[in-house]
Amino acid sequence: MKKILSLTLVLAAACAVTSCVQEEDLIFDKTAAERLNEASSLYSSRLMASPNGWAMQLYPTNQNEYPYGNGYLLLCRFNKDHSVNVSMDNVFSDNKYKEDTSLWEIITDNGPVLTFNSHNSCLHAFCDPEDIFFTGNADESNDETGKGCQGDYEFIIVDAPEDASYMMLKGKKRGTYNLLTPIEQGVEYADYLADVKTFQNSMFPANAPTFNVMHFGDSIYKMTGANDGIPNIFPYNGDEIIDQSFNAFLITKRGNDYYLRFRDQITITEEEKVQDFRYNASSDVFESVDNTNYYIDGDEPARFFEESLSVNERAWIWNASSEMSDKYAELMNTMKTELGKSTLQQIRLQKVEDKFKLRVTYRSRTTTTLVFSYTGGFNGGVLNLTYEGCDTPSGEAILNQVPSLRTLLNLLTGGLNISAGATKFNLNTIKLTSNSDSGMWFVTNLL
């Protein structure tokens, strides 16, 4: 009886297996291997769908510390022979253009995965477990041997639309999201990286103690420290330490437009978030691509100009080769003629205690600096000064010899409108325009 029962169970199990196989055949008309091969072929073709490759916004980790949390721009061209050309120009390449070629493949691991399956000195610089050569110093070493930058070399393909307008990858280990956008045909990789690098450095300089302002409807935030790529974002009137919130970003270029994209979305409301911004040159702001009412602005030039003059040793300088209007250039040329064999070297505006000091330096056989004193202050973006006299004993006599210099001194007493020299994001240059004559202006540089 037991043998008959056992035989019955075996037959039942066999029928169940046959039933499952038949059911799978009804669901899938191809084997698992065939489906995997098709997926690999599909995503491979989409990687190759951008003829001149992709700009990859790579984030090794989700940390907020340099250099692990920073974003790095890599340019990747995926070829039909499954080679990949990768280029970069950042601290991991000693801030020089670098390129390397290796192999790539689409594998499947609970979904399609892009793997850089042979060593690429550009891509693998972020995941090799080696010491990061540019961290630490002679006084304090920082050896990352065994960890490196802790990034990925395999990426889950999260989204890859058929039109090749973008591709979203997710680091297999670290879980960071890395956006790929196509590079236009005919664009050289070295030129692209140099262009973006120049733009980013000019908009977020390291040597200007200023900040940016984020406008999200009624909510306004400060963005400080953007020059290192991981700015601190906090309420405008909040505390930079208590309310700190770091969010890395990268700059890319598409056509003639520059885009700023944060690593993580910024929450405006529960329903609305922002992440991508396009630079609008005409209004000098980065506008959200989803809502132009949300934007990132530079600092106010007048506020920054006034604050910088309050810092000891800081000054604003200009000379005959500075950017200026034609009318101001005529004044400078007249001064050059009147100085004769002497050469104007520099004009410097500083604030010493409660006085404004204009220092005019010229050279003949020796270098001479005349110091002129003003009182006054700032009002509504205008610098209003009152001339007090020359601190240098020979100053008045020289003014009689060089009448154009007196004209320059009087120009400052008529009120000077303060505006950005090139952009409010980089206030290392400030434009000063006569309040009474808009055709009389010059650009000063922060020293």
Side-chain angles (χ1 to χ4, degrees), residues 415-438:
L416 294 171
N417 289 297
I418 304 165
S419 59
T423 169
K424 290 195 291 183
F425 288 90
N426 184 350
L427 293 178
N428 278 314
T429 60
I430 290 285
K431 182 179 178 181
L432 298 178
T433 305
S434 169
N435 200 31
S436 58
D437 185 353
S438 61

PDB file of all heavy atoms in Angstrom, residues 415-438:
ATOM      1  N   GLY A 415      28.391 110.759  -7.129  1.00  0.00           N
ATOM      2  CA  GLY A 415      27.618 109.541  -6.896  1.00  0.00           C
ATOM      3  C   GLY A 415      27.952 108.482  -7.918  1.00  0.00           C
ATOM      4  O   GLY A 415      27.995 108.754  -9.122  1.00  0.00           O
ATOM      5  N   LEU A 416      28.199 107.259  -7.465  1.00  0.00           N
ATOM      6  CA  LEU A 416      28.547 106.159  -8.358  1.00  0.00           C
ATOM      7  C   LEU A 416      27.564 105.016  -8.170  1.00  0.00           C
ATOM      8  O   LEU A 416      27.405 104.492  -7.056  1.00  0.00           O
ATOM      9  CB  LEU A 416      29.973 105.666  -8.072  1.00  0.00           C
ATOM     10  CG  LEU A 416      31.103 106.655  -8.382  1.00  0.00           C
ATOM     11  CD1 LEU A 416      32.427 106.125  -7.846  1.00  0.00           C
ATOM     12  CD2 LEU A 416      31.199 106.911  -9.882  1.00  0.00           C
ATOM     13  N   ASN A 417      26.889 104.642  -9.255  1.00  0.00           N
ATOM     14  CA  ASN A 417      25.995 103.485  -9.220  1.00  0.00           C
ATOM     15  C   ASN A 417      26.821 102.208  -9.266  1.00  0.00           C
ATOM     16  O   ASN A 417      27.742 102.083 -10.075  1.00  0.00           O
ATOM     17  CB  ASN A 417      25.030 103.522 -10.411  1.00  0.00           C
ATOM     18  CG  ASN A 417      24.005 104.625 -10.271  1.00  0.00           C
ATOM     19  OD1 ASN A 417      23.208 104.618  -9.342  1.00  0.00           O
ATOM     20  ND2 ASN A 417      24.028 105.586 -11.183  1.00  0.00           N
ATOM     21  N   ILE A 418      26.473 101.252  -8.429  1.00  0.00           N
ATOM     22  CA  ILE A 418      27.244 100.015  -8.289  1.00  0.00           C
ATOM     23  C   ILE A 418      26.488  98.866  -8.949  1.00  0.00           C
ATOM     24  O   ILE A 418      25.323  98.614  -8.636  1.00  0.00           O
ATOM     25  CB  ILE A 418      27.481  99.703  -6.800  1.00  0.00           C
ATOM     26  CG1 ILE A 418      28.165 100.884  -6.121  1.00  0.00           C
ATOM     27  CG2 ILE A 418      28.304  98.441  -6.627  1.00  0.00           C
ATOM     28  CD1 ILE A 418      28.120 100.818  -4.609  1.00  0.00           C
ATOM     29  N   SER A 419      27.150  98.177  -9.862  1.00  0.00           N
ATOM     30  CA  SER A 419      26.549  97.016 -10.524  1.00  0.00           C
ATOM     31  C   SER A 419      27.626  95.963 -10.770  1.00  0.00           C
ATOM     32  O   SER A 419      28.816  96.221 -10.576  1.00  0.00           O
ATOM     33  CB  SER A 419      25.883  97.422 -11.850  1.00  0.00           C
ATOM     34  OG  SER A 419      26.827  98.008 -12.734  1.00  0.00           O
ATOM     35  N   ALA A 420      27.214  94.790 -11.203  1.00  0.00           N
ATOM     36  CA  ALA A 420      28.174  93.707 -11.452  1.00  0.00           C
ATOM     37  C   ALA A 420      29.021  94.018 -12.675  1.00  0.00           C
ATOM     38  O   ALA A 420      28.534  94.590 -13.654  1.00  0.00           O
ATOM     39  CB  ALA A 420      27.432  92.390 -11.652  1.00  0.00           C
ATOM     40  N   GLY A 421      30.288  93.634 -12.620  1.00  0.00           N
ATOM     41  CA  GLY A 421      31.150  93.833 -13.773  1.00  0.00           C
ATOM     42  C   GLY A 421      30.771  92.928 -14.923  1.00  0.00           C
ATOM     43  O   GLY A 421      30.656  93.370 -16.066  1.00  0.00           O
ATOM     44  N   ALA A 422      30.557  91.637 -14.655  1.00  0.00           N
ATOM     45  CA  ALA A 422      30.165  90.681 -15.691  1.00  0.00           C
ATOM     46  C   ALA A 422      28.921  89.909 -15.268  1.00  0.00           C
ATOM     47  O   ALA A 422      27.957  89.791 -16.006  1.00  0.00           O
ATOM     48  CB  ALA A 422      31.322  89.726 -15.992  1.00  0.00           C
ATOM     49  N   THR A 423      28.942  89.377 -14.047  1.00  0.00           N
ATOM     50  CA  THR A 423      27.821  88.611 -13.534  1.00  0.00           C
ATOM     51  C   THR A 423      27.765  88.760 -12.021  1.00  0.00           C
ATOM     52  O   THR A 423      28.807  88.896 -11.359  1.00  0.00           O
ATOM     53  CB  THR A 423      27.950  87.112 -13.894  1.00  0.00           C
ATOM     54  OG1 THR A 423      26.986  86.338 -13.165  1.00  0.00           O
ATOM     55  CG2 THR A 423      29.341  86.587 -13.567  1.00  0.00           C
ATOM     56  N   LYS A 424      26.569  88.707 -11.456  1.00  0.00           N
ATOM     57  CA  LYS A 424      26.412  88.805 -10.008  1.00  0.00           C
ATOM     58  C   LYS A 424      26.917  87.559  -9.288  1.00  0.00           C
ATOM     59  O   LYS A 424      27.074  87.565  -8.064  1.00  0.00           O
ATOM     60  CB  LYS A 424      24.950  89.071  -9.647  1.00  0.00           C
ATOM     61  CG  LYS A 424      24.481  90.463 -10.037  1.00  0.00           C
ATOM     62  CD  LYS A 424      23.169  90.827  -9.366  1.00  0.00           C
ATOM     63  CE  LYS A 424      22.023  90.006  -9.897  1.00  0.00           C
ATOM     64  NZ  LYS A 424      20.730  90.395  -9.294  1.00  0.00           N
ATOM     65  N   PHE A 425      27.164  86.485 -10.055  1.00  0.00           N
ATOM     66  CA  PHE A 425      27.699  85.274  -9.440  1.00  0.00           C
ATOM     67  C   PHE A 425      29.194  85.403  -9.149  1.00  0.00           C
ATOM     68  O   PHE A 425      29.745  84.637  -8.364  1.00  0.00           O
ATOM     69  CB  PHE A 425      27.440  84.065 -10.340  1.00  0.00           C
ATOM     70  CG  PHE A 425      26.001  83.646 -10.370  1.00  0.00           C
ATOM     71  CD1 PHE A 425      25.126  84.168 -11.309  1.00  0.00           C
ATOM     72  CD2 PHE A 425      25.507  82.742  -9.444  1.00  0.00           C
ATOM     73  CE1 PHE A 425      23.791  83.789 -11.335  1.00  0.00           C
ATOM     74  CE2 PHE A 425      24.177  82.362  -9.454  1.00  0.00           C
ATOM     75  CZ  PHE A 425      23.314  82.886 -10.404  1.00  0.00           C
ATOM     76  N   ASN A 426      29.836  86.348  -9.817  1.00  0.00           N
ATOM     77  CA  ASN A 426      31.268  86.563  -9.614  1.00  0.00           C
ATOM     78  C   ASN A 426      31.512  88.054  -9.439  1.00  0.00           C
ATOM     79  O   ASN A 426      31.648  88.797 -10.415  1.00  0.00           O
ATOM     80  CB  ASN A 426      32.062  86.031 -10.806  1.00  0.00           C
ATOM     81  CG  ASN A 426      33.558  86.145 -10.606  1.00  0.00           C
ATOM     82  OD1 ASN A 426      34.028  86.775  -9.668  1.00  0.00           O
ATOM     83  ND2 ASN A 426      34.320  85.539 -11.495  1.00  0.00           N
ATOM     84  N   LEU A 427      31.558  88.486  -8.189  1.00  0.00           N
ATOM     85  CA  LEU A 427      31.691  89.903  -7.911  1.00  0.00           C
ATOM     86  C   LEU A 427      33.135  90.299  -7.634  1.00  0.00           C
ATOM     87  O   LEU A 427      33.412  91.258  -6.907  1.00  0.00           O
ATOM     88  CB  LEU A 427      30.775  90.292  -6.742  1.00  0.00           C
ATOM     89  CG  LEU A 427      29.284  90.187  -7.071  1.00  0.00           C
ATOM     90  CD1 LEU A 427      28.427  90.545  -5.857  1.00  0.00           C
ATOM     91  CD2 LEU A 427      28.904  91.068  -8.264  1.00  0.00           C
ATOM     92  N   ASN A 428      34.059  89.580  -8.226  1.00  0.00           N
ATOM     93  CA  ASN A 428      35.452  90.024  -8.210  1.00  0.00           C
ATOM     94  C   ASN A 428      35.622  91.280  -9.058  1.00  0.00           C
ATOM     95  O   ASN A 428      36.628  91.977  -8.931  1.00  0.00           O
ATOM     96  CB  ASN A 428      36.371  88.925  -8.727  1.00  0.00           C
ATOM     97  CG  ASN A 428      36.689  87.903  -7.650  1.00  0.00           C
ATOM     98  OD1 ASN A 428      37.008  88.250  -6.522  1.00  0.00           O
ATOM     99  ND2 ASN A 428      36.592  86.628  -7.998  1.00  0.00           N
ATOM    100  N   THR A 429      34.665  91.525  -9.948  1.00  0.00           N
ATOM    101  CA  THR A 429      34.673  92.760 -10.734  1.00  0.00           C
ATOM    102  C   THR A 429      33.366  93.518 -10.491  1.00  0.00           C
ATOM    103  O   THR A 429      32.288  92.911 -10.456  1.00  0.00           O
ATOM    104  CB  THR A 429      34.825  92.482 -12.238  1.00  0.00           C
ATOM    105  OG1 THR A 429      33.727  91.671 -12.691  1.00  0.00           O
ATOM    106  CG2 THR A 429      36.130  91.768 -12.534  1.00  0.00           C
ATOM    107  N   ILE A 430      33.483  94.814 -10.304  1.00  0.00           N
ATOM    108  CA  ILE A 430      32.335  95.684 -10.050  1.00  0.00           C
ATOM    109  C   ILE A 430      32.391  96.845 -11.039  1.00  0.00           C
ATOM    110  O   ILE A 430      33.455  97.419 -11.292  1.00  0.00           O
ATOM    111  CB  ILE A 430      32.352  96.231  -8.608  1.00  0.00           C
ATOM    112  CG1 ILE A 430      32.070  95.111  -7.590  1.00  0.00           C
ATOM    113  CG2 ILE A 430      31.372  97.378  -8.433  1.00  0.00           C
ATOM    114  CD1 ILE A 430      30.630  94.669  -7.520  1.00  0.00           C
ATOM    115  N   LYS A 431      31.230  97.200 -11.580  1.00  0.00           N
ATOM    116  CA  LYS A 431      31.134  98.329 -12.503  1.00  0.00           C
ATOM    117  C   LYS A 431      30.625  99.551 -11.748  1.00  0.00           C
ATOM    118  O   LYS A 431      29.598  99.489 -11.063  1.00  0.00           O
ATOM    119  CB  LYS A 431      30.182  97.981 -13.650  1.00  0.00           C
ATOM    120  CG  LYS A 431      30.026  99.065 -14.700  1.00  0.00           C
ATOM    121  CD  LYS A 431      29.070  98.594 -15.797  1.00  0.00           C
ATOM    122  CE  LYS A 431      28.847  99.670 -16.848  1.00  0.00           C
ATOM    123  NZ  LYS A 431      27.898  99.206 -17.897  1.00  0.00           N
ATOM    124  N   LEU A 432      31.365 100.650 -11.850  1.00  0.00           N
ATOM    125  CA  LEU A 432      30.969 101.908 -11.220  1.00  0.00           C
ATOM    126  C   LEU A 432      30.608 102.907 -12.306  1.00  0.00           C
ATOM    127  O   LEU A 432      31.423 103.201 -13.193  1.00  0.00           O
ATOM    128  CB  LEU A 432      32.105 102.449 -10.357  1.00  0.00           C
ATOM    129  CG  LEU A 432      32.542 101.552  -9.177  1.00  0.00           C
ATOM    130  CD1 LEU A 432      33.714 102.178  -8.442  1.00  0.00           C
ATOM    131  CD2 LEU A 432      31.375 101.296  -8.231  1.00  0.00           C
ATOM    132  N   THR A 433      29.390 103.437 -12.245  1.00  0.00           N
ATOM    133  CA  THR A 433      28.865 104.349 -13.271  1.00  0.00           C
ATOM    134  C   THR A 433      28.490 105.674 -12.632  1.00  0.00           C
ATOM    135  O   THR A 433      27.826 105.709 -11.584  1.00  0.00           O
ATOM    136  CB  THR A 433      27.628 103.733 -13.957  1.00  0.00           C
ATOM    137  OG1 THR A 433      27.960 102.454 -14.465  1.00  0.00           O
ATOM    138  CG2 THR A 433      27.149 104.631 -15.097  1.00  0.00           C
ATOM    139  N   SER A 434      28.893 106.762 -13.276  1.00  0.00           N
ATOM    140  CA  SER A 434      28.554 108.089 -12.759  1.00  0.00           C
ATOM    141  C   SER A 434      27.045 108.245 -12.664  1.00  0.00           C
ATOM    142  O   SER A 434      26.301 107.941 -13.605  1.00  0.00           O
ATOM    143  CB  SER A 434      29.132 109.170 -13.676  1.00  0.00           C
ATOM    144  OG  SER A 434      28.606 110.436 -13.347  1.00  0.00           O
ATOM    145  N   ASN A 435      26.577 108.718 -11.532  1.00  0.00           N
ATOM    146  CA  ASN A 435      25.150 108.905 -11.312  1.00  0.00           C
ATOM    147  C   ASN A 435      24.585 110.020 -12.191  1.00  0.00           C
ATOM    148  O   ASN A 435      23.398 110.032 -12.527  1.00  0.00           O
ATOM    149  CB  ASN A 435      24.895 109.224  -9.836  1.00  0.00           C
ATOM    150  CG  ASN A 435      23.463 108.952  -9.420  1.00  0.00           C
ATOM    151  OD1 ASN A 435      22.814 108.055  -9.957  1.00  0.00           O
ATOM    152  ND2 ASN A 435      22.971 109.719  -8.468  1.00  0.00           N
ATOM    153  N   SER A 436      25.445 110.942 -12.593  1.00  0.00           N
ATOM    154  CA  SER A 436      24.996 112.073 -13.407  1.00  0.00           C
ATOM    155  C   SER A 436      25.270 111.890 -14.899  1.00  0.00           C
ATOM    156  O   SER A 436      24.741 112.634 -15.722  1.00  0.00           O
ATOM    157  CB  SER A 436      25.683 113.356 -12.924  1.00  0.00           C
ATOM    158  OG  SER A 436      27.088 113.226 -12.989  1.00  0.00           O
ATOM    159  N   ASP A 437      26.094 110.889 -15.263  1.00  0.00           N
ATOM    160  CA  ASP A 437      26.448 110.674 -16.664  1.00  0.00           C
ATOM    161  C   ASP A 437      26.653 109.179 -16.895  1.00  0.00           C
ATOM    162  O   ASP A 437      27.710 108.635 -16.600  1.00  0.00           O
ATOM    163  CB  ASP A 437      27.720 111.449 -17.013  1.00  0.00           C
ATOM    164  CG  ASP A 437      28.078 111.354 -18.501  1.00  0.00           C
ATOM    165  OD1 ASP A 437      27.420 110.594 -19.227  1.00  0.00           O
ATOM    166  OD2 ASP A 437      29.027 112.042 -18.911  1.00  0.00           O
ATOM    167  N   SER A 438      25.646 108.506 -17.428  1.00  0.00           N
ATOM    168  CA  SER A 438      25.707 107.048 -17.620  1.00  0.00           C
ATOM    169  C   SER A 438      26.774 106.637 -18.627  1.00  0.00           C
ATOM    170  O   SER A 438      27.153 105.460 -18.690  1.00  0.00           O
ATOM    171  CB  SER A 438      24.338 106.516 -18.066  1.00  0.00           C
ATOM    172  OG  SER A 438      23.958 107.114 -19.297  1.00  0.00           O
TER     173      SER A 438
END
